[in-house]
């Protein structure tokens, strides 16, 4: 039996939608073309936060609130296309955190995994699961899901780092838990560098078995990663889009160090004109060394050390280097690859 439809039955349809709406039902055909789309069309926008502009405001915030009262004194890097959503891309959060001399950001743990990438200052530490690490600019540090962590600054200068968290991913699954420690600062039960000695020398403790998807190495010092890039640059030509680019690795699995976030460090030679590139993992970049230009989606941003910029999913971007540049970056690539979603494209 084929249905015979009345012409111009809009009023009839509307009455039907209103009727089924009372029982939490809705017609897919009214929204289908907006949710199953030909290619990614992110509401996120390409953007650059200039260190010269942001740094004084971060320091100003120290006069407004203490690290202890704030729990974490952070300015959120909120994507201009996602205002009010506390995120830099659709799936990841980023912020700039400040800890002043003498301050402690109290211990807590949560489901969200966090990365720290140190931007400026010396003398502050992060403690993860009983091991304290004094952070230097360019160091990449992981706070694995559900591990107690606190930050402190017994030094004499302000210390600022970028945080990257999988807040929106954990929220998508409604799997958030948080616990505040009864002590402000964790008792340290290990010496600094213990995890680096065990896991950071292309060796593992004999019979080591990993029980999580997060790297047992939680501190990746900048000097080692920088040296590796410099050595590689002497022996091979740079990739046309990325220059010399390394991904940080979980030594126990060979995979990314965090289950939800991939991290990278790349070196661009002076005069580099990167080939057009795009991928489905929206990527946030933090400049460590050098100046250049980030072109993305019809926008063009000049970058300098400590600037942070973001390339949304599937928008074409290019990196140009006026000087030799080193750039850290992170994205949700491990999640997309686990779900067979990740794609990339280079344009000649
Ligand atoms: Fe935290």
């Amino acid at each position: 039996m084929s249905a015979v439809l009345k012409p111009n039955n809009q009023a009839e349809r509307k009455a039907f939608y209103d009727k089924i709406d009372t029982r939490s039902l809705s017609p897919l055909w009214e929204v289908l073309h907006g949710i199953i789309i030909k290619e990614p069309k992110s509401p996120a926008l390409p953007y650059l936060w200039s260190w010269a502009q942001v740094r004084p405001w971060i320091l100003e915030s120290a006069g407004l609130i203490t690290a202890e009262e704030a729990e974490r004194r952070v300015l959120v890097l909120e994507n201009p296309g996602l205002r009010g959503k506390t995120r830099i891309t659709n799936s990841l959060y980023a912020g700039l955190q400040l800890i002043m001399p003498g301050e402690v950001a109290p211990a807590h743990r949560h489901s969200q995994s966090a990365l720290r990438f140190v931007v400026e200052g010396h003398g502050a530490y992060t403690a993860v699961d009983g091991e304290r690490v004094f952070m230097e600019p360019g160091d990449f540090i992981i706070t694995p899901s559900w591990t107690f962590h606190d930050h402190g600054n017994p030094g004499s200068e302000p210390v600022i780092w970028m945080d990257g968290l999988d807040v929106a991913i954990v929220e998508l699954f409604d799997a958030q838990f948080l616990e505040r420690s009864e002590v402000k600062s964790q008792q340290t039960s290990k010496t600094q560098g213990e995890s680096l000695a065990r896991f950071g020398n292309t060796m593992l403790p004999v019979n080591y078995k990993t029980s999580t998807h997060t790297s047992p190495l939680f501190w990746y010092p900048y000097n080692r990663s920088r040296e590796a890039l410099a050595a590689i640059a002497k022996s091979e030509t740079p990739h046309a889009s990325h220059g010399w680019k390394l991904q940080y690795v979980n030594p126990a699995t060979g995979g990314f160090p965090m289950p939800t976030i991939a991290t990278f460090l790349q070196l661009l030679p002076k005069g580099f004109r990167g080939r057009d590139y795009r991928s489905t993992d929206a990527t946030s970049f933090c400049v460590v060394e050098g100046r250049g230009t980030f072109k993305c989606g019809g926008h063009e941003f000049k970058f300098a050390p400590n600037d942070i910029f973001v390339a949304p999913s599937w928008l074409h971007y290019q990196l140009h280097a006026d000087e030799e540049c080193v750039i850290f970056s992170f994205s949700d690539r491990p999640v997309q690859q686990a779900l067979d979603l990740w794609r990339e494209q280079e344009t000649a």
Side-chain angles (χ1 to χ4, degrees):
M1 191 184 92
S2 62
V4 179
L5 299 183
K6 286 183 215 153
N8 302 320
N9 65 349
Q10 295 304 326
E12 201 180 339
R13 285 184 188 176
K14 173 77 171 51
F16 174 73
Y17 301 161
D18 289 347
K19 180 170 64 182
I20 64 172
D21 182 64
T22 62
R23 289 295 177 270
S24 291
L25 291 163
S26 67
L28 174 63
W29 58 87
E30 289 290 334
V31 294
L32 181 63
H33 302 299
I35 54 176
I36 310 290
I37 55 178
K38 203 163 170 254
E39 59 177 34
K41 211 173 157 186
S42 177
L45 296 171
Y47 195 68
L48 179 141
W49 289 268
S50 152
W51 182 242
Q53 188 167 62
V54 173
R55 184 180 183 275
W57 289 340
I58 299 169
L59 293 172
E60 191 181 333
S61 73
L64 300 173
I65 192 163
T66 63
E68 196 169 345
E69 187 190 347
E71 191 156 342
R72 297 296 185 259
R73 190 201 288 113
V74 179
L75 298 188
V76 179
L77 300 160
E78 202 167 64
N79 189 290
L82 303 166
R83 293 310 310 271
K85 294 193 165 180
T86 326
R87 61 188 76 169
I88 190 165
T89 65
N90 232 348
S91 63
L92 296 176
Y93 158 99
L96 281 164
Q97 181 160 176
L98 164 67
I99 189 151
M100 296 296 284
E103 286 191 325
V104 168
H108 67 197
R109 62 177 173 175
H110 40 69
S111 310
Q112 294 84 358
S113 297
L115 71 85
R116 327 281 170 201
F117 188 73
V118 184
V119 174
E120 184 184 282
H122 307 271
Y125 66 81
T126 278
V128 176
D129 242 0
E131 183 177 340
R132 216 175 241 202
V133 163
F134 279 85
M135 305 181 281
E136 290 296 319
D139 288 0
F140 159 53
I141 293 152
I142 301 170
T143 307
S145 171
W146 207 239
T147 51
F148 277 111
H149 52 282
D150 53 271
H151 316 296
N153 185 353
S156 57
E157 53 188 89
V159 175
I160 301 168
W161 63 84
M162 177 179 70
D163 290 318
L165 280 85
D166 53 8
V167 174
I169 296 172
V170 180
E171 188 183 318
L172 177 69
F173 297 116
D174 284 334
Q176 312 96 319
F177 294 90
L178 163 72
E179 186 182 343
R180 291 189 177 86
S181 173
E182 283 165 10
V183 293
K184 231 165 58 167
S185 303
Q186 299 176 61
Q187 200 68 39
T188 44
S189 53
K190 299 167 190 158
T191 53
Q192 164 151 351
E194 218 174 296
S195 72
L196 190 66
R198 282 208 178 88
F199 303 105
N201 295 299
T202 66
M203 300 174 91
L204 292 172
V206 69
N207 295 330
Y208 175 77
K209 295 246 182 327
T210 181
S211 56
T212 77
H213 294 99
T214 306
S215 173
L217 177 63
F218 74 95
W219 174 41
Y220 296 73
Y222 183 61
N223 57 2
R224 290 193 176 193
S225 319
R226 182 68 179 84
E227 264 172 34
L229 282 172
I232 292 164
K234 285 191 188 129
S235 62
E236 66 178 36
T237 52
H239 182 278
S241 299
H242 309 305
W244 296 283
K245 188 168 183 175
L246 292 173
Q247 67 179 61
Y248 292 86
V249 73
N250 175 343
T253 65
F256 293 110
M258 304 166 72
T260 45
I261 304 180
T263 47
F264 309 89
L265 195 71
Q266 68 196 110
L267 175 66
L268 310 177
K270 183 180 176 181
F272 183 73
R273 293 287 175 268
R275 184 192 284 174
D276 196 271
Y277 176 83
R278 64 176 172 173
S279 63
T280 52
D281 54 327
T283 304
S284 305
F285 299 84
C286 181
V287 181
V288 191
E289 301 174 29
R291 288 164 197 277
T293 307
F294 164 58
K295 296 182 176 189
C296 184
H299 298 262
E300 198 170 311
F301 305 92
K302 289 274 175 206
F303 66 76
N306 298 347
D307 287 355
I308 293 170
F309 56 87
V310 59
S313 167
W314 214 234
L315 279 193
H316 294 271
Y317 75 83
Q318 291 172 23
L319 296 171
H320 293 183
D322 301 335
E323 307 164 354
E324 183 176 74
C325 293
V326 180
I327 307 175
F328 173 85
S329 58
F330 70 100
S331 78
D332 61 12
R333 192 175 300 184
V335 183
Q336 294 203 25
Q337 290 186 335
L339 301 177
D340 292 340
L341 295 173
W342 185 71
R343 290 196 198 190
E344 64 174 342
Q345 188 181 64
E346 273 176 63
T347 313

